[in-house]
Amino acid sequence: MKALASHEQTVVSLPAYTTLSIAVSETGAGTIERLANNPGDPSLGTTTVSGNMAIGPFAVPTRHLLRCSMTPFSYDSAPADFAAVTSAIERITTLSQPEYDALSPPEPATLYLIMG
C-alpha cells in the first residue's frame, strides 16, 4: 500500500473495473474527491474518509483526488475480483443508470454493471 502523509494530497487514476482501497487508523481522516473525466469539468463529489473503505469499481477509467487531513492513511488499487462475486450470480447485465433505477426490485442473482 502507498502512504499519504499528513496534509498531503495526490491524484489517483483508476483503470476501468479497478477498486481503490483506503486504510485509515482510528484517528486518520481526509477526503476523496471524484474528479471529472474531462479536464476543466466540475468534480463529481467529495466523500469524507474516516475509516477503511473501498471505492469502485467503475466501468470507465476514473480519477480521484485523495486529501489527508491529520493522521496519515494508506491506499492501494487492484482489479475488481468479480470471480469471487459470481458464486451466487447467474448472469451479468450492463444497463444505463435510468434502466437500473426502473428495476423494481433488481434481481438478486444478477450482477449489474452501470454504464453512463
Side-chain angles (χ1 to χ4, degrees), residues 2-28:
K2 299 169 188 103
L4 194 59
S6 179
H7 302 292
E8 191 176 50
Q9 64 182 21
T10 189
V11 173
V12 177
S13 296
L14 295 180
Y17 305 112
T18 300
T19 302
L20 177 66
S21 300
I22 300 174
V24 180
S25 67
E26 290 181 21
T27 58

Side-chain angles (χ1 to χ4, degrees), residues 9-99:
Q9 64 182 21
T10 189
V11 173
V12 177
S13 296
L14 295 180
Y17 305 112
T18 300
T19 302
L20 177 66
S21 300
I22 300 174
V24 180
S25 67
E26 290 181 21
T27 58
T31 61
I32 181 166
E33 180 178 353
R34 168 87 189 275
L35 300 175
N37 295 332
N38 300 312
D41 287 350
S43 72
L44 302 172
T46 302
T47 301
T48 300
V49 176
S50 59
N52 296 344
M53 62 187 304
I55 305 294
F58 298 94
V60 296
T62 58
R63 297 178 316 127
H64 305 269
L65 174 61
L66 301 176
R67 292 184 193 100
C68 181
S69 58
M70 297 301 280
T71 307
F73 62 79
S74 301
Y75 66 95
D76 202 3
S77 61
D81 186 9
F82 288 116
V85 176
T86 60
S87 61
I89 302 296
E90 294 176 9
R91 65 188 181 117
I92 299 173
T93 301
T94 303
L95 300 173
S96 68
Q97 187 66 52
E99 290 172 327

